[in-house]
């Protein structure tokens, strides 16, 4: 069964046609990567899926249910979760409190404390737990936000450039983490510019260009596609 | 029983300054002094202290909405006025027998809260935020002041209560506790003092528990990053509305106690100056902490009163200067700055001790 289905999604910002009749289907259990040049409309597509923006026309189906007009928090309750492009942590609060806020609706009491400890260990942020989140390095903020996103145990995890600013080693570790979550049953849709990461994790790849689905297939098919190379990959490798 | 214990544990937490035996010993000491103090003072001075205490509730309401919730509201004085007038209208009409003044207190606070539900629903569900929230609440406050100021004519009456325009309402009964034999009338001295002190301790501890609970976590999360809070599945508008209504009830409590204390209320209690002063107390104290807000409010109020002896215009100018100094020196509040410094000092001291 398909977990997420976007049907002819259109979004305009004034005269700018940011997403143009986007059709996209995600199968439950897959890791799907969304790539495309800057300004292609990738992040906007995420905001449409999450209900932060509303499409001019088109439908969004999640697990068979039409969620196009649903409020954001209700979509989260249905099983969506996101890590944004610009890390959105609670800057003035401690790392531990950030995770507590993410976990507290699912756990309480001693169990909550144990879950926080477990997640801190998983993220490698144990020694930073008392620090103010705003003082973390960019990479650590990314990890913290990923931690908050996965703590909701979503059915579909949306990751907007999860490895931006990470070293190749950290990027590889993030890839392994995504694969582990996926092995536990989480479907993942990731926006990434880092082709090594895409090659490491993606089952399928969709290329977005000027708000339209430009190409779709396995990573090898995409890399072999000369049209894609012309608009994107060539530029990325240049 | 375990639920009760977990409430106790919430008295301390990341959202409130002050923890451990040292803090609570100090708290007990201050409370003991506050309880004993009327025995060593005269009725006038005690009544004046009650006047200071009365304002702490509106300060706490601003601390909650602005300091913790991140929404700057100028509407607290509106709720103050609505509840104050509400108490006046109810008690002038129905008197003080059978404990009715206490019912009027609760009813007037409820009216203010209900008004906040309507206004808050319009604002938060209409996604009015930031500066616009300040503008809307200020407009509502000033509109209410203007409205009440023009109610001088005899046609402006509710039952037997004349609204009296700019001169305001007066001669409503003080809070009265029914008692076999003779009811206890809480005039603005020792009697009212203990009631207000009790309410203050109750509200202060209650807010500590609330802010260190999962609800409080969500409130500060919304202040830090509303988008992220929503993306963790929290209905941000609902939490903002609840906070706003609790805040309105506290501001309303201030209004009722003020009206019962002085047995009068005027439209100027909803004016520009009245709206600005609580902001100054809370900002100078430390808006993001309950204890700092209480201490800051009492200190600034006492200082303000001492200065008015030399003329109230100078006192107001001084308040402005104080605010500017706070913003420059300790943007999170002077009292909070001092308390954090003391906290670090004791931490270092206790670490060295063994
Ligand atoms: N809120 C907005 N209002 C107006 N224009 C917007 C808004 N958000 C995005 N845009 C524009 O829409 C286009 C697509 O933006 P989007 O952020 O979706 O691109 P992207 O594919 O995520 O790019 P990048 O790889 O740089 O993150 C850009 O031209 C951007 O300037
Ligand atoms: Mg983007």
């Amino acid at each position: 069964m398909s977990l997420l289905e976007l049907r002819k999604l259109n979004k305009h910002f004034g005269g700018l046609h940011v997403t143009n009749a986007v059709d996209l289907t995600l199968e439950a259990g897959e890791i799907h990567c969304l790539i495309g040049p800057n300004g292609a409309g990738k992040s906007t597509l995420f905001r449409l899926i999450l209900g932060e923006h509303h499409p001019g026309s088109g439908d969004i189906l999640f697990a068979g249910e039409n969620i196009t007009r649903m409020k954001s928090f209700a979509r989260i309750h249905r099983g969506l979760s996101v890590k944004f492009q610009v890390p959105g942590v609670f800057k003035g609060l401690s790392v531990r409190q950030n995770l507590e806020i993410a976990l507290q609706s699912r756990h309480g009491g001693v169990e909550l404390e144990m879950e926080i400890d477990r997640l801190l260990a998983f993220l490698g942020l144990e020694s930073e737990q008392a620090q103010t989140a705003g003082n973390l390095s960019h990479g650590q903020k990314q990890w913290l936000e990923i931690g908050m996103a996965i703590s909701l145990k979503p059915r579909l995890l949306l990751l907007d450039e999860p490895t931006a600013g990470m070293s190749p080693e950290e990027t590889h570790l993030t890839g392994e983490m995504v694969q582990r979550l996926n092995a536990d049953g989480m479907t993942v849709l990731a926006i990434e510019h880092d082709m090594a990461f895409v090659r490491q994790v993606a089952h399928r790849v969709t290329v977005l260009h000027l708000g339209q689905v430009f190409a779709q297939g396995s990573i090898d098919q995409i890399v072999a596609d000369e049209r894609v190379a012309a608009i994107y990959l060539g530029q990325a490798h240049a | 029983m375990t639920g009760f214990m977990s409430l106790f544990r919430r008295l301390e937490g990341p959202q409130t300054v002050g923890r451990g035996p040292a803090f609570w010993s100090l708290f007990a000491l201050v409370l003991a002094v506050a309880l004993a103090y009327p025995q060593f003072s005269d009725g006038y001075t005690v009544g004046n202290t009650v006047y200071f205490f009365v304002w702490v509730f509106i300060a706490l309401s601003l601390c909650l909405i602005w300091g913790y919730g991140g929404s700057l509201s100028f509407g607290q004085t509106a709720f103050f006025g609505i509840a104050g007038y509400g108490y006046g209208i109810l008690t002038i009409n129905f008197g003080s027998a059978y404990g009715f003044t206490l019912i009027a207190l609760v009813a007037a606070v409820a009216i203010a809260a209900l008004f906040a539900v309507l206004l808050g629903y319009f604002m938060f569900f209409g996604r009015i935020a930031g500066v616009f929230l300040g503008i809307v609440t200020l407009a509502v406050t000033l509109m209410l002041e203007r409205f009440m100021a023009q109610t001088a004519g005899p046609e402006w009456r509710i039952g037997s209560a004349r609204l009296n325009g700019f001169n305001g309402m007066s001669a409503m009964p003080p809070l009265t506790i029914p008692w076999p034999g003779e009811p206890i009338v809480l005039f603005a001295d020792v009697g009212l003092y203990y009631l207000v002190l009790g309410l203050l301790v109750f509200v202060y501890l209650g807010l500590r528990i609330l802010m260190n609970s999962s609800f409080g976590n969500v409130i500060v999360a919304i202040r830090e990053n509303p988008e992220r809070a929503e993306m963790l599945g929290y209905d941000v508008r609902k939490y903002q509305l609840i906070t706003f209504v609790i805040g309105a009830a506290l501001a309303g409590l201030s209004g009722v106690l003020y009206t019962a204390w002085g047995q009068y209320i005027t439209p100027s209690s909803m004016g520009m100056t009245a709206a600005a002063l609580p902001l100054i107390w809370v900002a100078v104290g430390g808006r993001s902490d309950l204890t700092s807000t209480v201490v800051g409010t009492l200190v600034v109020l006492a200082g303000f009163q001492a200065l008015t002896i030399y003329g109230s215009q100078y006192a107001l100018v001084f308040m402005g200067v104080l605010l500017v100094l706070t913003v420059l020196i300790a943007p999170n509040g002077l009292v909070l700055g001092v308390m954090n410094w003391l906290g670090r000092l004791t931490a270092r001291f206790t670490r060295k001790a063994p």
Side-chain angles (χ1 to χ4, degrees):
Chain A
M1 190 197 69
S2 61
L3 184 61
L4 180 75
E5 204 182 326
L6 308 182
R7 290 186 187 158
K8 302 250 166 307
L9 273 191
N10 279 298
K11 177 71 188 173
H12 290 264
F13 285 127
L16 186 69
H17 205 166
V18 207
T19 65
N20 186 351
V22 171
D23 282 313
L24 183 67
T25 303
L26 287 197
E27 299 306 322
E30 74 171 316
I31 301 178
H32 198 115
C33 283
L34 192 59
I35 65 173
N38 294 114
K42 306 179 297 294
S43 295
T44 303
L45 198 63
F46 268 24
R47 293 190 187 277
L48 288 170
I49 297 171
L50 291 160
E52 287 224 319
H53 290 328
H54 294 281
S57 64
D59 284 300
I60 305 165
L61 276 75
F62 185 68
E65 183 185 12
N66 192 327
I67 60 166
T68 317
R69 319 234 158 271
M70 205 178 263
K71 296 269 181 274
S72 294
F73 72 91
R75 299 182 195 210
I76 303 299
H77 292 178
R78 292 293 189 285
L80 282 166
S81 191
V82 63
K83 178 242 160 248
F84 285 115
Q85 183 167 354
V86 180
V89 295
F90 303 119
K91 289 204 188 86
L93 309 181
S94 72
V95 169
R96 191 177 182 86
Q97 215 186 337
N98 268 267
L99 293 177
E100 181 178 330
I101 290 164
L103 284 161
Q104 68 180 18
S105 35
R106 304 172 53 88
H107 305 278
V110 187
E111 193 196 315
L112 173 62
E113 301 305 319
M114 277 165 54
E115 277 299 313
I116 298 171
D117 288 334
R118 222 175 50 81
L119 197 53
L120 280 168
F122 181 79
L123 300 170
L125 289 173
E126 288 145 307
S127 45
E128 283 83 13
Q129 60 170 303
Q131 262 189 47
T132 309
N135 293 339
L136 294 177
S137 71
H138 184 79
Q140 287 172 323
K141 280 184 197 149
Q142 304 251 73
W143 278 88
L144 178 58
E145 200 187 6
I146 293 173
M148 290 201 274
I150 63 176
S151 71
L152 302 182
K153 299 247 167 15
R155 297 166 74 183
L156 173 59
L157 178 64
L158 303 173
L159 298 171
D160 197 343
E161 305 198 8
T163 72
M166 287 187 186
S167 68
E169 297 77 47
E170 288 170 328
T171 300
H172 190 77
L173 281 174
T174 309
E176 286 180 351
M177 186 190 73
V178 168
Q179 285 172 322
R180 218 165 338 147
L181 293 168
N182 179 251
D184 289 339
M186 208 179 278
T187 309
V188 179
L189 177 59
I191 297 173
E192 238 334 317
H193 285 293
D194 187 318
M195 289 317 282
F197 177 86
V198 176
R199 187 170 281 287
Q200 183 188 354
V201 302
H203 302 149
R204 271 200 309 157
V205 178
T206 295
V207 184
L208 207 64
H209 178 47
L210 299 173
Q212 286 180 298
V213 174
F214 188 77
Q216 197 172 63
S218 69
I219 178 71
D220 291 323
Q221 287 168 329
I222 294 297
V223 171
D225 191 329
E226 284 174 11
R227 288 161 53 247
V228 175
I231 61 133
Y232 179 53
L233 295 177
Q235 163 204 359
H237 290 158
Chain B
M1 193 62 207
T2 51
F4 199 63
M5 285 308 291
S6 75
L7 277 190
F8 262 115
R9 222 168 307 125
R10 299 268 175 232
L11 282 170
E12 302 183 342
Q15 252 88 260
T16 51
V17 172
R19 65 181 67 229
F23 175 78
W24 292 108
S25 309
L26 187 63
F27 175 80
L29 183 70
V30 170
L31 188 59
V33 169
L35 285 170
Y37 147 78
Q39 315 306 324
F40 304 97
S41 189
D42 60 287
Y44 174 80
T45 314
V46 172
N48 192 41
T49 310
V50 176
Y51 172 80
F52 290 162
F53 284 1
V54 159
W55 291 109
V56 175
F57 298 97
I58 194 172
L60 284 171
S61 85
L62 204 55
C63 170
L64 182 67
I65 295 175
W66 181 33
Y68 286 98
S71 312
L72 179 48
S73 162
F74 288 96
Q76 301 320 101
T77 34
F79 304 125
F80 179 98
I82 287 171
Y85 271 98
Y87 176 81
I89 291 165
L90 285 169
T91 52
I92 286 176
N93 276 295
F94 297 104
S96 62
Y98 314 113
F100 185 78
T101 54
L102 301 177
I103 296 172
L105 181 149
V106 174
V109 168
I111 292 168
L114 201 67
F115 185 72
V117 171
L118 296 176
L119 179 62
Y121 184 83
F122 158 73
M123 290 193 306
F124 296 119
F125 283 70
R127 301 269 184 196
I128 292 176
V131 185
F132 296 101
L133 198 105
I135 293 172
V136 171
T137 49
L138 182 61
V140 168
T141 303
L142 296 182
M143 254 158 47
L144 270 173
E145 186 212 11
R146 286 288 119 207
F147 177 80
M148 292 315 289
Q150 55 84 52
T151 57
E155 71 276 21
W156 291 102
R157 57 165 63 236
I158 298 174
S160 50
R162 279 274 303 270
L163 296 181
N164 270 338
F166 206 78
N167 293 326
M169 288 171 76
S170 56
M172 58 286 282
L175 288 168
T176 308
I177 299 172
W179 204 256
E182 200 177 348
I184 303 169
V185 183
L186 301 178
F187 288 109
D189 49 37
V190 180
L192 192 60
Y193 176 86
Y194 283 112
L195 177 80
V196 175
L197 179 64
L199 281 172
L200 195 56
V201 171
F202 179 78
V203 166
Y204 169 75
L205 295 180
L207 285 177
R208 278 188 81 106
I209 291 171
L210 184 71
M211 289 328 291
N212 288 317
S213 71
S214 52
F215 178 86
N217 271 343
V218 179
I219 295 308
V220 292
I222 292 170
R223 173 191 71 198
E224 295 291 317
N225 190 338
E227 183 190 47
R228 182 29 72 193
E230 177 105 19
M231 289 306 155
L232 292 174
Y234 296 111
D235 186 351
V236 168
R237 304 160 307 168
K238 192 181 81 185
Y239 281 88
Q240 286 177 320
L241 180 60
I242 295 172
T243 314
F244 191 65
V245 172
I246 296 173
L250 288 175
L253 182 59
S254 252
V256 171
L257 293 174
Y258 173 82
T259 308
W261 172 83
Q263 294 174 260
Y264 66 81
I265 176 104
T266 66
S268 62
S269 64
M270 289 183 273
M272 194 65 208
T273 312
L277 283 176
L279 287 170
I280 296 178
W281 308 329
V282 174
V284 170
R287 63 182 182 278
S288 59
D289 179 58
L290 296 166
T291 315
S292 309
T293 293
V294 174
V295 174
T297 301
L298 291 174
V299 168
V300 176
L301 266 171
F304 184 77
Q305 196 177 59
L307 281 174
T308 29
I309 297 169
Y310 308 102
S312 63
Q313 60 275 46
Y314 299 120
L316 278 174
V317 170
F318 182 76
M319 288 294 114
V321 172
L322 194 61
L323 183 63
V324 172
L325 281 179
T326 303
V327 171
L328 290 177
I329 299 170
N332 294 324
L334 291 174
V335 177
L336 183 59
V338 171
M339 293 216 309
N340 281 336
W341 179 74
L342 280 177
R344 278 196 299 276
L345 210 66
T346 36
R348 202 178 312 156
F349 182 73
T350 42
R351 224 178 303 139
K352 269 182 191 158

